[in-house]
Amino acid sequence: MIDCGADWLGRLKVVDPTAIVLTHAHSDHASGLGQGACCPVYATEETWSLIERFPLADRHTIEPRRPLRIGRISFETFPVEHSLLAPTVGYRVTEGRVAFFYVPDLASSHELHDALHGMALYIGDGATVTRSMVRRRSRELIGHATIGAQLVWCRLEGVGRAIFTHCGSEIVRSDARVIAARIRKLGFEQGVDARVADDGLMLPLPG
């Protein structure tokens, strides 16, 4: 399970994960662990420092750019720009010959080529479709890149398929068919098969 937001507080048994991997410490990504977890939890040192009060006995620290194997799955951590207060990462997830990149929140990244090169699938930030939510604080970017910008990254790195999750109001408050068609069109313009994630979505990835 990647991330465990506040909606999962007291409900982890529904998923019964074998491990939980965190991208950052914002409430909608980590506060579901506020009552503990019955499995190992993996996070960066910065994230652990922000959730140290959580009653988690089986803690593991992930280091940037050092692949970590959990069962048969390898996770490689890539720092991204999103929040100054809650440093954030995305994960290059690999099992056998199949790999995808997962990053539910980001404004940008200095390592896009290394993160995306050779990926079968990009799972990205659905906070905003075309209206920029990126701001600059000192030398860092914070906020959320548009879906349009992320599709450009996918085109440049040869990623042919993209799914957008962690959706913002621009998607949530729109007619589902209208917004789905709009995002498919944005993807088509970049040569990327693009769609919005939905609850229960299962993705077969050819090996």
Side-chain angles (χ1 to χ4, degrees):
M1 182 176 183
I2 303 179
D3 284 339
C4 186
D7 288 351
W8 289 105
L9 188 64
R11 300 177 58 228
L12 270 177
K13 289 184 178 179
V14 175
V15 181
D16 194 24
T18 56
I20 297 171
V21 181
L22 300 180
T23 60
H24 61 300
H26 280 159
S27 174
D28 53 345
H29 294 265
S31 288
L33 299 172
Q35 296 175 358
C38 56
C39 65
V41 179
Y42 298 79
T44 62
E45 184 176 350
E46 293 87 350
T47 294
W48 281 126
S49 70
L50 294 169
I51 61 171
E52 60 183 352
R53 68 189 184 281
F54 290 178
L56 298 166
D58 197 353
R59 302 177 177 221
H60 301 263
T61 300
I62 297 180
E63 298 182 22
R65 301 303 308 272
R66 293 191 64 179
L68 170 75
R69 186 168 290 277
I70 304 175
R72 301 192 313 175
I73 301 174
S74 173
F75 291 81
E76 184 176 0
T77 308
F78 286 82
V80 300
E81 294 181 290
H82 167 59
S83 168
L84 298 181
L85 299 179
T88 305
V89 299
Y91 289 105
R92 187 178 172 110
V93 184
T94 306
E95 197 278 317
R97 293 181 297 173
V98 176
F100 64 88
F101 190 71
Y102 181 89
V103 59
D105 281 342
L106 88 164
S108 186
S109 171
H110 298 296
E111 300 181 275
L112 283 173
H113 176 73
D114 288 347
L116 300 184
H117 182 69
M119 292 294 95
L121 171 68
Y122 173 86
I123 303 175
D125 185 344
T128 178
V129 180
T130 56
R131 179 175 60 86
S132 178
M133 294 176 65
V134 174
R135 304 179 300 283
R136 184 173 293 278
R137 292 288 184 271
S138 184
R139 295 183 179 182
E140 299 292 325
L141 297 179
I142 63 172
H144 302 268
T146 64
I147 286 176
Q150 293 170 78
L151 288 168
V152 171
W153 302 341
C154 289
R155 173 179 60 81
L156 292 174
E157 299 302 336
V159 182
R161 192 176 182 192
I163 306 287
F164 294 95
T165 186
H166 202 46
C167 300
S169 60
E170 192 175 359
I171 290 177
V172 174
R173 295 176 183 172
S174 297
D175 179 272
R177 288 178 294 182
V178 171
I179 198 67
R182 183 181 175 195
I183 289 172
R184 282 197 303 270
K185 182 175 184 293
L186 287 173
F188 179 79
E189 292 169 355
Q190 300 298 333
V192 179
D193 178 8
R195 64 173 291 180
V196 178
D198 53 73
D199 289 345
L201 177 65
M202 297 183 69
L203 299 171
L205 297 176

